[in-house]
Every structure is written in structure tokens, then in C-alpha cells.
Amino acid sequence: MPATVEIYVDYVCPYCFLIEDSVKALQRDHDVDVAIRPYELRPDPVPTLRPEDEHRPRVWDSSVYPMARELGVDITLPTIAPQPRTELAFILCRSQRMSRAVAHSTRHVESGGIPFVALVVSDDGYTSDFGVNLVLETCDSTAHAEIVAMRSTLHARNLTDLQGMRLLATGEPCGLCYRFAFEHHIDSVHFAVDAATAARYGFDYRTSYGRLGIDRARMPIAVECLPVDRALEPFTRYLQLHFPPDPEFQPGRPKGQP
């Protein structure tokens, strides 16, 4: 299993751009997963640095430009003022984590699992272990991937709730998982594949919303679809492995069953 290297960067810091080739070399030469984490050195309301500040050109001339030439990186002091915040970087970071969850989901399917993987993340860089469906292994009908990830986070961080954290899931949570997330005050939920799409691949759990009082039109927290490349791969791979070769056959079974 590859090791994970976490790199924290401020997207408006020139030194962070100078390591790009080194990171690529690390991925090329070693069996590692690189996770880029955004970290704003001057969070709002602290003012960002301005290119017109007198000391900025001196810093670039004495430090940034010599280092860039040594590394072969073409970089120029930006003229944008004020420099932008990095809120969008946090969105990008969630997309990267979702992509990793989707890749893990495909591997999980190929080892005999179902295409639901989840993790809990926060903007301070915390990322939980991947949660997978453990209903059969634990004889616990509530051990869905999302609940496994949330329970793991509560235990690992010695918490009683999940305020300030986000749930990422390869498939939209069912009613039970939404209910658990609400009750533990998670900030938001993001999924790569919605429930209607999951149903087309044989995992139809939409009736759970009504049974558990989940009104998807009026959610108490932010809920969004976060599509990423290859989001459907775990679901298509599941069908290929378990129901070949008829593409018209769409098996139906509840999410929490094998």
C-alpha cells in the first residue's frame, strides 16, 4: 500500500509553486500518494501582501528569483492587488480528496466490496481513514461507509460531535447516514454520485429518505454533489464483476446488503 505524503501550501505563496517539480518527481520515483492541503498563511481578516509594498520586490530579487532560476521555474512577481484569498483552494482540496475516495472505492469493489466509500475532512487538514460498508463483517446493520467514517472520526479525535467537519461520500448517503450526520452536527455533506444515479446501477435506497423523515429539498445543512472524474467507475466495475455481460440488467438491492 502506498504511503501518503501530505503537503500544506498557501496558493498565493511563491515558494509553494517552486516545489511543484519536486512533488512530481516524488510521485514518479516512489510509491506514494501525494495529498495537497491548502493552508492560508494570512487568513481573513489579516490583510494579504501587496505587490506594491516596498519590501516585496526586494524579497523576490534576493530570494524567490534566485531559487526559481536554480530550480528552472519561470515565475514573476504578480501585479494583482490585493492578492486573492484561497477559499477556492479548499474547494479544490475537497475535490482531490473525493477523487482519492473514488479510487479507493474502485479498489474496494475489486476486492469484493460495494462502491460506497466515505471520509470525514476538515479545513485544518484532518482526513479520516476511508470508511467502507461493514454490515456483514460486524453484523451491524448501521455500519454503512459514511457512518463508519464518522464513528472513526469521533473515536480518533475523542469528540462528541462533528462540528467544523465535512462528510465526503462516493455515493449520496442514504436516510440513515444523513440522519447520523445531522445528529452529530456535521457541517456539510458532499457526494460524487447522487441517489438517482446509484439506483440506476442497482443500489436503490431512495425510500429510506421518507422512512427516516429526510426532506432532501429542505436539508438542515449544506449538501452538494461534488462530481469528479471517474466517479461512476466503482459502480460500473461492480456491475462488470457481479453481473456480466448484459448491460441492460440492473439488479436491485438495498444499499446495506451484499
Side-chain angles (χ1 to χ4, degrees):
M1 179 180 295
T4 298
V5 177
E6 295 185 324
I7 301 175
Y8 291 82
V9 302
D10 183 340
Y11 283 86
V12 298
C13 172
Y15 297 103
C16 296
F17 287 96
L18 297 181
I19 69 167
E20 184 175 357
D21 287 343
S22 298
V23 172
K24 291 179 180 177
L26 177 66
Q27 293 175 294
R28 182 186 65 243
D29 300 336
H30 301 277
D31 184 22
V32 298
D33 287 332
V34 174
I36 303 297
R37 308 287 191 233
Y39 183 83
E40 196 162 30
L41 294 171
R42 295 171 180 82
D44 189 53
V46 177
T48 59
L49 297 176
R50 303 174 66 90
E52 60 267 31
D53 292 342
E54 291 184 2
H55 73 286
R56 299 306 299 157
R58 291 199 301 270
V59 171
W60 279 67
D61 288 340
S62 65
S63 179
V64 178
Y65 285 135
M67 188 180 299
R69 286 193 293 270
E70 181 178 345
L71 295 172
V73 177
D74 185 15
I75 191 171
T76 303
L77 176 63
T79 58
I80 299 173
Q83 291 184 339
R85 297 288 179 183
T86 58
E87 287 93 344
L88 291 178
F90 287 93
I91 297 174
L92 173 63
C93 187
R94 288 197 291 273
S95 295
Q96 292 172 335
R97 294 176 184 177
M98 183 71 83
S99 294
R100 291 173 56 209
V102 168
H104 186 84
S105 181
T106 299
R107 294 192 296 269
H108 183 59
V109 165
E110 291 176 343
S111 67
I114 62 175
F116 293 91
V117 166
L119 67 163
V120 175
V121 304
S122 64
D123 288 341
D124 66 3
Y126 172 79
T127 301
S128 73
D129 292 335
F130 290 117
V132 299
N133 188 291
L134 297 176
V135 171
L136 285 180
E137 293 84 345
T138 62
C139 296
D140 177 1
S141 61
T142 70
H144 295 186
E146 299 90 335
I147 293 178
V148 168
M150 288 186 281
R151 285 173 174 166
S152 173
T153 299
L154 291 166
H155 177 75
R157 306 196 88 179
N158 194 27
L159 301 172
T160 58
D161 64 48
L162 297 168
Q163 289 187 22
M165 300 189 181
R166 298 178 173 87
L167 175 67
L168 274 59
T170 55
E172 183 174 2
C174 67
L176 180 67
C177 297
Y178 269 135
R179 178 60 59 195
F180 190 96
F182 299 161
E183 290 174 351
H184 289 82
H185 309 292
I186 205 153
D187 274 15
S188 59
V189 174
H190 312 263
F191 50 84
V193 173
D194 63 27
T197 302
R200 293 201 295 271
Y201 284 82
F203 297 89
D204 193 353
Y205 44 89
R206 290 173 292 181
T207 58
S208 68
Y209 300 131
R211 292 200 309 268
L212 292 169
I214 304 297
D215 184 352
R216 293 161 74 214
R218 297 181 179 181
M219 291 298 215
I221 62 173
V223 173
E224 70 163 352
C225 184
L226 184 62
V228 295
D229 291 341
R230 308 176 77 172
L232 290 175
E233 185 175 88
F235 293 87
T236 57
R237 187 66 179 133
Y238 182 88
L239 289 185
Q240 290 169 356
L241 290 172
H242 295 276
F243 302 96
D246 184 356
E248 299 300 321
F249 180 55
Q250 299 293 329
R253 69 181 174 86
K255 176 183 169 186
Q257 297 180 5

